[in-house]
Amino acid sequence: MIKKRILAGVLAAIMAFSMTACGNKKSSDAAPDAKTENTTQTNQDDTKSASQYDSLVIGSDTFNGVWNPLFYITNPDSTVIDMMWSPISLRDKDGVLIDWMGHIDQEEVKAEDGHTQVLYTIKLNEGIKNSDGSAVTIDDVIFTYMCMADPSYDGISTFNTLDIVGLKDYLYDTPDYDKLLKEVEKKYSPDKISFEDFLTYCKATNIDNWFTGDITSDIGDGRTWAEYLVSEGIFKEDEAKKIDTPEKMLEAVAKVEYEKYKTKYDTVPHFKKQIAKGNLDDGIDVTEISGIKKIDDLTCTVLMDSVDIIGNINLADQNILSKAYYGKDFKKGDLSSVKALSSAPLGNGPYVFESYENNIVTLKANENFFKGAPKIPNLKFQVVNSEDKVDKVLNGEIDITDPSASLEIVKNIKDNTDKASYSLVDNPGYGYIAINAKTIPDVNVRKGLMHLMNRKPAVSSYYGELAQVIERPMVPTLPEYPSDAKEYYGYDVAKAKEYFDKAGYTLKDGKLVNKDGKQLVVNAGVGDAKVHPSTPILTQMKNDLEAMGGDLIVNDLQFSVLSDKVESGALDMWVMAWANSKDCDLTQIFSSNGGSNKHHYYNDKLDSIIAKVKQTLDLEERKKLVAEELDIIMDAAVYMPVYQRKNMEIYNATTIKLDTLPKEVTPYWRYPQEIHTVEMQ
């Protein structure tokens, strides 16, 4: 934990969840016939020349209110954002990239030294406009790329990890960064670096506030700095107590890290990159990314220094910000002016932001949308409790929503085909339980907790055949998912106790305590516990842990509050789900620099494999690498995959012309992709 605290400043932002539709409702009308599963129903009467409803109300989970495609952190916000923006390209029903606002081509080229590079050409369609009527140009595309590559960027995008020529020079503000890094690697290899050089580095990076002036403060896992020094075995307790100034403490901590560095790390540590990193406070040295070139007002090229299996997706499946609006006060190294406009968004999609108040987001049709103004004048996203979603559709209060699919809900909708229609498709994501390696640094404690997670009964009782238990943290529908993966941590109370024993916990006065006498207490969070499929897992864990003398505190939270607590690192364990996982690239969640790495597990070998996966075109070889990286993640005991479920959406049959909804709903293609052609009764 301390290694990364000192050696890397890991960017953090929750997750990119997928698109979910939510909302509120209206009055009812005559109902259509029943619909078949996984399809939408055709209305009997679609002869009306005008709609009697002017608003589509979508039932949603709670919002964070960040209306910016570069900085949102929750799925409900993302769904609203996708109504206000359009990407250059999007995925069709099979997940294949197709043209939308523009087109992307790619070709392999040879670098001067003979290695293969890939040149991407992005071309916008003519006449695309922002919602204020201004033209969308290639300058907007390049500006959006530069924002995601900015040194201060802390959103969920992994754009700054792409192997674009010159991107590292721009990110670290260091001309010829790769050349300089090689020199630094040679000079600071583990067998050559001196403690004095290492200490100089530590003092320099103290600017990043990894070490505070309070030497008695908690380092983040319940230990003081002095306790940390003793636990690492380099300082005796009486020696640690004599360290009475921040300067002495910094030097002592540096000694611990120096010993680790010399003996443990056979790869280039992150601190070498920090040494090569330019200091923005000394002035801007690199103002452009050399591999990104403007060709004309609608065209640019992007040169990547290596093959990337999803390079085209990273560049083209991207919402574009207006440079004139978002970039008027932009300065490299400071994206605060871009973030400041998140409550007053300007997009180029089918709908325009009007207001967000009283848990309702109101959008109006964009008359400048390149596909033509949407048929429905207004959209309203209204926060609805999970347990109320179905009733609010059946009662006519909302028009579309997305309850967590269950056998009971499916039966309910089938019994009310005059009021509602539904779709069921495989969710391109999975539910999981995460453990924070920063607050629970002992892997034996984490493994013990894993063995207390009784997943199968919980998933079966809630979903029946509508979900499956999965054994690795990846969407099973992806071809790289190891279909032969075996269970890594079975439910086994005795095994859990063995791991707690290994971690040094013993039973004393009825409590499970460590050598310092502190009870094992785990602070967990779950959203809407009453209706969450993983709640029985937590309940079982709590009972088992209490029987051992420990304590599991289960916090039932609104999703936005849960997200904030995960973001701030306030929880030891949490229950969430990923969606919209369309490829096998795990950079965002599991790499050391991943924007959604909230579990704080860092592993140089894992980083290396993740990078190799992106460059491996052969599917069978890629499968082997993916299986290896997933095993590393499982062995770290920071992510317990729980289930992959069916996604369910319910449509109000009395207010929506169901034959204007997509004819086929897939994990990649739902009503938001066709929202501009959907009609009301």
Side-chain angles (χ1 to χ4, degrees), residues 19-263:
M19 295 165 46
T20 13
C22 315
N24 187 9
K25 138 172 190 20
K26 288 166 212 30
S27 54
S28 337
D29 195 286
D33 290 341
K35 110 181 213 336
T36 58
E37 191 159 318
N38 291 326
T39 62
T40 53
Q41 168 188 322
T42 302
N43 290 281
Q44 294 177 346
D45 180 11
D46 58 358
T47 60
K48 296 183 178 68
S49 58
S51 300
Q52 55 182 308
Y53 303 101
D54 66 356
S55 296
L56 179 76
V57 185
I58 302 168
S60 175
D61 295 321
T62 54
F63 304 109
N64 273 48
V66 181
W67 318 123
N68 187 313
L70 303 190
F71 294 105
Y72 72 89
I73 59 174
T74 66
N75 183 47
D77 285 13
S78 172
T79 302
V80 175
I81 286 167
D82 285 332
M83 298 295 185
M84 295 188 286
W85 269 273
S86 289
I88 299 168
S89 304
L90 49 70
R91 312 249 194 161
D92 67 8
K93 63 183 180 62
D94 298 315
V96 177
L97 208 62
I98 59 173
D99 295 350
W100 197 241
M101 289 206 311
H103 176 77
I104 185 169
D105 278 320
Q106 66 184 70
E107 62 174 321
E108 292 188 359
V109 296
K110 292 295 182 182
E112 290 183 3
D113 63 1
H115 80 274
T116 300
Q117 297 177 312
V118 181
L119 183 67
Y120 297 89
T121 301
I122 297 101
K123 187 173 184 61
L124 294 173
N125 298 332
E126 293 185 4
I128 303 291
K129 295 181 180 180
N130 292 303
S131 59
D132 65 352
S134 61
V136 176
T137 72
I138 208 67
D139 289 331
D140 300 324
V141 174
I142 295 175
F143 169 71
T144 303
Y145 292 163
M146 301 296 274
C147 285
M148 293 185 291
D150 193 81
S152 67
Y153 179 73
D154 59 357
I156 64 172
S157 170
T158 57
F159 185 89
N160 60 15
T161 67
L162 298 179
D163 195 18
I164 298 173
V165 172
L167 188 148
K168 292 175 186 174
D169 295 5
Y170 182 81
L171 177 63
Y172 296 109
D173 203 47
T174 304
D176 297 320
Y177 171 81
D178 284 327
K179 179 180 179 181
L180 178 59
L181 182 58
K182 289 179 181 178
E183 294 174 358
V184 172
E185 290 173 1
K186 183 177 180 180
K187 179 180 179 182
Y188 292 102
S189 59
D191 60 334
K192 292 182 179 179
I193 186 171
S194 68
F195 175 69
E196 288 71 24
D197 283 335
F198 192 93
L199 180 60
T200 298
Y201 162 74
C202 290
K203 288 179 178 178
T205 55
N206 194 33
I207 296 171
D208 297 329
N209 294 321
W210 67 266
F211 184 78
T212 67
D214 181 7
I215 64 174
T216 64
S217 63
D218 185 332
I219 69 173
D221 63 0
R223 294 178 293 174
T224 64
W225 287 100
E227 289 172 336
Y228 162 70
L229 295 178
V230 175
S231 68
E232 292 296 325
I234 296 178
F235 288 82
K236 295 181 180 179
E237 187 173 351
D238 58 341
E239 293 175 329
K241 287 181 178 179
K242 292 178 182 178
I243 301 173
D244 56 1
T245 68
E247 292 75 19
K248 291 180 181 178
M249 184 61 77
L250 184 142
E251 184 171 350
V253 174
K255 284 183 179 179
V256 174
E257 296 304 318
Y258 180 61
E259 291 302 317
K260 287 183 181 180
Y261 170 65
K262 287 196 306 178
T263 59

Side-chain angles (χ1 to χ4, degrees), residues 331-401:
K331 294 180 180 179
K332 182 183 177 182
D334 182 6
L335 290 172
S336 58
S337 63
V338 180
K339 288 184 176 182
L341 295 170
S342 294
S343 60
L346 173 69
N348 45 47
Y351 283 88
V352 181
F353 182 82
E354 279 228 311
S355 65
Y356 170 46
E357 53 189 13
N358 300 322
N359 286 326
I360 298 176
V361 182
T362 301
L363 309 179
K364 66 177 181 179
N366 179 10
E367 298 298 326
N368 291 309
F369 184 50
F370 76 101
K371 288 287 187 178
K375 304 292 185 181
I376 303 172
N378 305 292
L379 296 186
K380 290 183 183 293
F381 290 83
Q382 177 173 314
V383 174
V384 175
N385 291 331
S386 298
E387 61 266 31
D388 296 332
K389 287 182 175 180
V390 176
D391 287 342
K392 284 187 176 294
V393 171
L394 295 179
N395 293 337
E397 297 176 48
I398 61 177
D399 302 313
I400 297 178
T401 193

Side-chain angles (χ1 to χ4, degrees), residues 434-440 569 571-574 598-600:
I435 300 178
N436 189 344
K438 186 175 182 179
T439 60
I440 305 182
L571 296 171
D572 301 315
M573 189 169 78
W574 63 90
K598 301 305 177 185
H599 49 276
H600 298 287

